[in-house]
Each structure stands twice: as structure tokens, then as C-alpha cells.
Amino acid sequence: MTSAPLRWPDAADPVIRGDLTVAVAYVTPAGGAVVTSVSPLGLGERENGLVGFTTSLGFPKKLERILRNPDVALAYHTREHGFAASDSYVLAQGAASVDLRPSPERLAELMRASGPFLGEVKRGPLWDWLLREYHQERVFVDVELKRVAVWENLAARGAKAVTGAAWPHHPAEQEAPRNGTGPRVELAAVARQIHRLPHRLLAYRGADGLPVIVPVKVTSHDEAGLHLDLPAGLLPPGGRRAGFLAHGFQPQCVGLGMRTLTGWLTVTEKDAIYAPHTSKGLAAPPYRTLLTVSNGLLAKYGVWRAQRDGTSARLQALAARRPTD
């Protein structure tokens, strides 16, 4: 017997429908979490308890990890350049499925949905050729909701309203990695890079396996790592693997900047310190035409590479195996 779909609450509806950019977290094999940003374009079916986003074959590691472990979370954490007149922070958690071969009808609906968020699609023989892979080789990630938590403010301070599965207790402390817990990247450089990006979030694997995404502020840094200011009670005490995202964007996602970190989080009664182990950055051109050309070329290269190195076949095999695991 299957349970009824989880219908998200009224307070979350304008946020899910209207945010231009959200944070998505998925779980790593070592028990950590990676958090990145996507533009969901208002995708979701409230009556069926589904939210979602699209991505590209150019990011195979993300897709492979989601196919191997479907536990994901989406944080609707900024109203910037979106359409929702709300100050609520919304965390949606659930199980993801990946549609690697969406129907033409679904792709056409995506094109219609993208207009209000990303601007009208450029048309013409040259543009149609350039953007063919970008528009027609999309991958859909649909998330069947298990829990939706809503805070009344974007800082996620104070009480939360939970719909669906009860909020779990804090997870146990994790075993330290073999190579140590301290920073493995140049902290001064990382601090400079994230200083220019206004939105910062931290993600970890919760006690029930679902990622938790928390908005944080970086107050300082030293040889131990980045010192964080965060909502009370949302980060579990002790040490654990965690992911960090800093990002910023302009209208229609022009001029997007993003820095993603993986590392070790230590939370005590007095402090929360994040020690980065890896750091990756992404910057989109601040001009729409240049961004469109860049997206088209990157999509063409990503699809070519995925076909050449066997990524497409590997992802298809994983997707086909999932129902019988």
C-alpha cells in the first residue's frame, strides 16, 4: 500500500513556485553532503507531492550520486529576482528519481516555464543549432516529498512548521577522515572568494539520511577554518562531513557566481567551525548574449563528452537498475 502524496503547505507554495534559484543537496558515499545551486523554474506538482529541477549530462557526478542514493533536499532560501512575496525559508526533503529521456512534451513545457524566470528563448537557425543540446538534452530530477519545513524568515531562526515526516533527532557524530579534519585548501583565498557571494548555506546528512541545508554567516577565519554564525539548534554537535555553498546571481541568472566546498564541520557549545577540504568555483558571464552562447557551447561539449566516455550509457544502466535494487 502506497502512502498519499505529501502536499506542501500553503506557506510554501508561492516560494516553491517563485524562487529563481535554490540550493540542492545530495549525499556522498562517505556520508557527507554536497550542496549546489540550480534554477527550478517553478517546477512542481503540489497534488502529487513533487518538486524538481533540471540539469545536464555535463554534470555526471551529481546525477550518478543521486541515482545511487536518491535522498536529496532543496532549500528555497532567497527571494532575489524571483516572484514570491514571502520571507519564508523552505526546506523540502525527499527521494529523487531521474528522467534521463524526457518526452518532447515535457521539454516543450520546460521551455514555456523558463521564459518568466530566464527570459525569452533566442530563435533563428544559428541559435537553434547552438542551443539544441542545451534545450533538448535536459535531465529532469523529480523529488517525491517526505518532509517540508517552513521558517518565517530567510535566516531560518525561531520555530519551524513541519509537514510530513517528523523532524528527526540530531545524527550521531561521524568518524574523522583518515587524512585528518583540518583545512586542506588556502583559507584566505576561500574567504576572499565567498566574501563576494551574498548567499551562504551548509548541508549535512541528517539522522534519517536526508540532507539538511542551513543558512549560515561566515564571521571570520583562522588556521582552524571558517567560523560560522548559524540558527540555534539546527546543526548537530560534534564533528561530521558537510558541504558548503556560497553563491550570487543577477536577474535571469546572468552574472551567476558560485563556490562549492566539501569539508569537516565541528560544532561545540561555543563555536561552529568549517574546515574546507575541496573548493570549486563557477562564474557565468554578466551579459545575457554571452551567457547564452556559453551555455550552448558547454552543453554541446558536455553531451559529446558523455557519449564519448560512456557516461550516458553508465547513467542509463544505473537508472534501469534502480527499481530492482
Side-chain angles (χ1 to χ4, degrees):
M1 181 178 178
T2 59
S3 58
L6 178 62
R7 191 176 186 270
W8 61 73
D10 290 344
D13 192 58
V15 174
I16 291 174
R17 300 296 187 191
D19 267 9
L20 174 60
T21 299
V22 307
V24 172
Y26 54 91
V27 178
T28 70
V34 174
V35 56
T36 186
S37 67
V38 299
S39 294
L41 308 178
L43 296 179
E45 300 175 14
R46 191 179 186 189
E47 296 303 321
N48 293 322
L50 296 173
V51 295
F53 59 95
T54 69
T55 185
S56 164
L57 288 174
F59 302 99
K61 182 177 287 188
K62 173 171 62 179
L63 289 169
E64 185 167 342
R65 285 181 171 172
I66 291 174
L67 283 167
R68 292 185 182 279
N69 185 335
D71 291 335
V72 301
L74 291 84
Y76 299 79
H77 65 286
T78 169
R79 302 298 94 86
E80 194 173 11
H81 310 310
F83 304 106
S86 168
D87 292 328
S88 297
Y89 180 88
V90 176
L91 178 65
Q93 301 167 298
S97 60
V98 179
D99 184 358
L100 291 168
R101 293 177 176 171
S103 67
E105 293 77 15
R106 193 171 198 192
L107 290 169
E109 178 57 34
L110 176 66
M111 293 278 284
R112 288 190 290 270
S114 69
F117 291 93
L118 303 178
E120 291 303 314
V121 176
K122 292 183 178 294
R123 291 294 191 182
L126 180 59
W127 289 113
D128 291 347
W129 171 84
L130 177 65
L131 298 174
R132 185 178 67 84
E133 287 81 3
Y134 183 73
H135 291 310
Q136 300 302 317
E137 300 289 342
R138 303 301 297 173
V139 175
F140 286 76
V141 180
D142 300 301
V143 181
E144 182 179 355
L145 293 173
K146 296 181 179 180
R147 179 187 301 116
V148 177
V150 180
W151 288 260
E152 292 184 350
N153 55 82
L154 290 173
R157 308 271 175 169
K160 60 184 177 294
V162 177
T163 302
W167 193 267
H169 296 293
H170 283 319
E173 185 172 5
Q174 292 182 336
E175 183 178 349
R178 186 176 303 174
N179 294 330
T181 61
R184 302 177 193 171
V185 298
E186 185 183 349
L187 280 171
V190 169
R192 286 195 305 271
Q193 291 158 349
I194 67 176
H195 178 73
R196 300 188 293 266
L197 302 170
H199 306 293
R200 293 88 179 267
L201 303 109
L202 191 85
Y204 65 92
R205 187 182 66 177
D208 57 1
L210 294 168
V212 179
I213 308 173
V214 180
V216 298
K217 296 180 180 179
V218 178
T219 58
S220 63
H221 70 276
D222 56 25
E223 67 278 0
L226 305 173
H227 291 253
L228 307 178
D229 176 39
L230 50 110
L234 281 186
L235 290 187
R240 71 198 61 257
R241 300 175 190 270
F244 185 98
L245 168 68
H247 72 114
F249 53 96
Q250 298 175 20
Q252 299 180 354
C253 282
V254 174
L256 179 147
M258 181 169 63
R259 176 67 48 178
T260 57
L261 312 174
T262 62
W264 186 260
L265 172 69
T266 303
V267 178
T268 67
E269 292 183 357
K270 297 181 179 180
D271 204 356
I273 301 176
Y274 184 72
H277 293 170
T278 67
S279 174
K280 294 182 179 180
L282 179 151
Y287 306 103
R288 188 162 187 265
T289 298
L290 185 57
L291 173 63
T292 303
V293 171
S294 176
N295 284 340
L297 293 175
L298 287 173
K300 283 185 177 296
Y301 173 73
V303 170
W304 171 82
R305 185 181 63 181
Q307 294 171 344
R308 184 173 182 269
D309 66 10
T311 294
S312 295
R314 186 173 67 254
L315 292 175
Q316 290 288 352
L318 281 172
R321 194 182 65 185
R322 279 276 317 278
T324 59
D325 282 352

